[in-house]
Amino acid sequence: MIPEIEYASKAEIKSFQVEKLKDLLLYLNTNSVFYKRLFNTHKIDITTINSLDDLTKIPTTSKDDLQQYNDDFICVPKNKIVDYVTTSGTLGDPVLFGLTDNDLDRLAYNEAISFACAGIGPDDVIQLMTTIDRRFMAGLAYFLGARKLGAGIIRVGNGIPELQWDSILKFKPTYIIAVPSFLLKLIEYAKQHNIDLNTSGIKGAICIGEPLRAQDFSLNTLSKKIKEHWNIELYSTYASTEMNTAFTECEQQQGGHQHPELIITEILDDNDQPVNEGESGELTITTLGVEGMPLLRFKTGDIVKAHHKKCDCGRNTMRLGPVIGRKKQMIKYKGTTLYPPAMHNILNDFNEVEAFVIELSHNSIGTDEILIKIAVNAPTENLLLNIKNHFRAKLRVLPKIEFSDKKEIQKLQFPKMSRKPVMVIDKRK
């Protein structure tokens, strides 16, 4: 199930993508109110876009554009939309996406080749530990992808360790799809109920929503904790509703592979110019083959690093490293630039920390402040000192850290309408 284009040379991949890009530009110029207006306003002749480098002639699209002009992005009549989803709205109002029948087929294809990338085949059974409802694209994508691949799927939904283990023991899945920190809850439940993790038949986990690796692809604290107890392969996958596409690790686990027939990627600096190879920047994407709501040069808000060296799996496609952080959540703190994932990783070092939330605000002189609220079973001054020393050693700065009630933190993490935990509350103007 691995497309030939992924093994093609870099030059062949580029020329293949240029042809797909020309088709997209024509489609947008005909069907998209937003992009037609953009081309007219900036006097862009789409026939002059003849290479991927020419993309820089076109202004980028932001989340603000999507929120402000949502309907203008939809390229099909309403009766062609068969599925409605919304973004999670982590950094603002959710955006509506309408998918056509063809878009659902494309979504299934994307997930099937992503599963195949991680070594999952038609003989496997996948247990889905994420929601498939609540206007959530990912759960539906996993279901459709497994079906397209010919693999079995068990739709358990999120949470409820008891039901997850009941399903694992009953149906014998070989792979699971889950948020990595939830795997720790499954490990804890298994220990309490004398379930042998390593004879459960699970070969691997496709992990979503939280990073598994450091920038050099070594396992981070969270992954090490999982693998200490459960001898399974952990695969990162990165996606978003706006992309309609996933970047999933292959068995080499050296970053998520791009699918060239589905997406064009750029890594841009603050001036919307491509960064030098090896530098980090904002992931900017152009979707290929999307009918309902295609996007051109859309800035995802995620800071990443691209890896271009041929992968040992044989693919020549670009790979994305772990997300360094969300651009809007960048913190300038006492002369140091920080992103919340670096703080998550430190807190994951402590088994005593049961829950946490990071609050960002501005102080009276307008500079960034950080308050980390943590819940632990038995709060002691010694533990707090330990955590603070860890922050000093790893980040060279010390944010304000305080003990808090677990229920209070969970309330902050799961506001009304939330589909996933909110780990960062940004109160900055």
Side-chain angles (χ1 to χ4, degrees), residues 17-37 39-40 44-50 55 58 75 264 286-291 294-296:
Q17 287 205 307
V18 169
E19 293 313 307
K20 291 267 189 187
L21 174 62
K22 286 178 179 177
D23 293 343
L24 171 69
L25 291 169
L26 207 57
Y27 182 78
L28 291 174
N29 207 29
T30 311
N31 301 294
S32 170
V33 172
F34 179 85
Y35 285 110
K36 219 186 294 186
R37 187 167 64 229
F39 297 152
N40 286 335
I44 291 160
D45 176 1
I46 58 167
T47 61
T48 63
I49 311 296
N50 295 307
L55 274 169
I58 304 169
C75 292
I264 292 169
T286 295
T287 55
L288 301 172
V290 172
E291 206 174 45
L295 295 176
L296 175 65

Side-chain angles (χ1 to χ4, degrees), residues 26-200:
L26 207 57
Y27 182 78
L28 291 174
N29 207 29
T30 311
N31 301 294
S32 170
V33 172
F34 179 85
Y35 285 110
K36 219 186 294 186
R37 187 167 64 229
L38 183 93
F39 297 152
N40 286 335
T41 305
H42 294 274
K43 298 186 170 43
I44 291 160
D45 176 1
I46 58 167
T47 61
T48 63
I49 311 296
N50 295 307
S51 73
L52 297 185
D53 294 337
D54 287 342
L55 274 169
T56 52
K57 295 177 184 176
I58 304 169
T60 56
T61 301
S62 69
K63 290 198 181 196
D64 292 344
D65 294 325
L66 286 185
Q67 283 160 341
Q68 203 176 339
Y69 306 107
N70 203 163
D71 288 355
D72 290 356
F73 282 88
I74 294 173
C75 292
V76 293
K78 206 169 182 183
N79 65 358
K80 289 283 183 198
I81 296 173
V82 297
D83 189 61
Y84 289 89
V85 296
T86 52
T87 58
S88 57
T90 313
L91 297 175
D93 292 332
V95 172
L96 178 147
F97 274 77
L99 285 84
T100 66
D101 246 337
N102 287 336
D103 290 338
L104 289 182
D105 288 344
R106 180 190 173 284
L107 201 59
Y109 171 77
N110 155 70
E111 213 51 67
I113 60 176
S114 295
F115 285 151
C117 197
I120 302 175
D123 295 334
D124 286 302
V125 176
I126 305 165
Q127 185 157 317
L128 181 56
M129 299 182 179
T130 68
T131 185
I132 195 168
D133 54 6
R134 301 177 75 184
R135 309 189 309 223
F136 190 45
M137 182 188 273
L140 178 65
Y142 297 132
F143 174 74
L144 294 174
R147 191 165 173 256
K148 176 96 176 160
L149 188 62
I153 192 153
I154 310 154
R155 293 177 290 112
V156 183
N158 57 356
I160 324 173
E162 185 179 358
L163 183 59
Q164 303 292 356
W165 274 114
D166 180 66
S167 303
I168 291 170
L169 299 173
K170 262 196 185 97
F171 305 116
K172 303 280 185 281
T174 44
Y175 286 87
I176 54 184
I177 301 173
V179 174
S181 52
F182 183 63
L183 298 183
L184 292 177
K185 292 196 169 86
L186 289 184
I187 290 167
E188 194 184 326
Y189 183 91
K191 282 182 165 178
Q192 287 166 358
H193 295 83
N194 297 317
I195 296 167
D196 187 343
L197 290 157
N198 294 314
T199 59
S200 61

Side-chain angles (χ1 to χ4, degrees), residues 10 25 34 38 41 74 92 112 240 258 283 300 351 408 415:
K10 292 204 183 296
L25 291 169
F34 179 85
L38 183 93
T41 305
I74 294 173
S240 70
Q258 176 190 9
L283 177 68
T300 62
N351 293 327
E408 187 204 324

Side-chain angles (χ1 to χ4, degrees), residues 262-315:
L262 299 180
I263 199 161
I264 292 169
T265 52
E266 302 170 80
I267 312 289
L268 302 181
D269 63 18
D270 290 341
N271 301 313
D272 292 345
Q273 292 303 308
V275 299
N276 295 325
E277 200 164 313
E279 287 180 359
S280 59
E282 184 170 4
L283 177 68
T284 302
I285 55 98
T286 295
T287 55
L288 301 172
V290 172
E291 206 174 45
M293 205 166 143
L295 295 176
L296 175 65
R297 302 202 81 211
F298 172 72
K299 295 169 80 171
T300 62
D302 289 327
I303 304 296
V304 296
K305 204 179 274 189
H307 298 264
H308 298 277
K309 191 176 149 229
K310 183 174 180 168
C311 183
D312 288 344
C313 72
R315 288 178 182 82

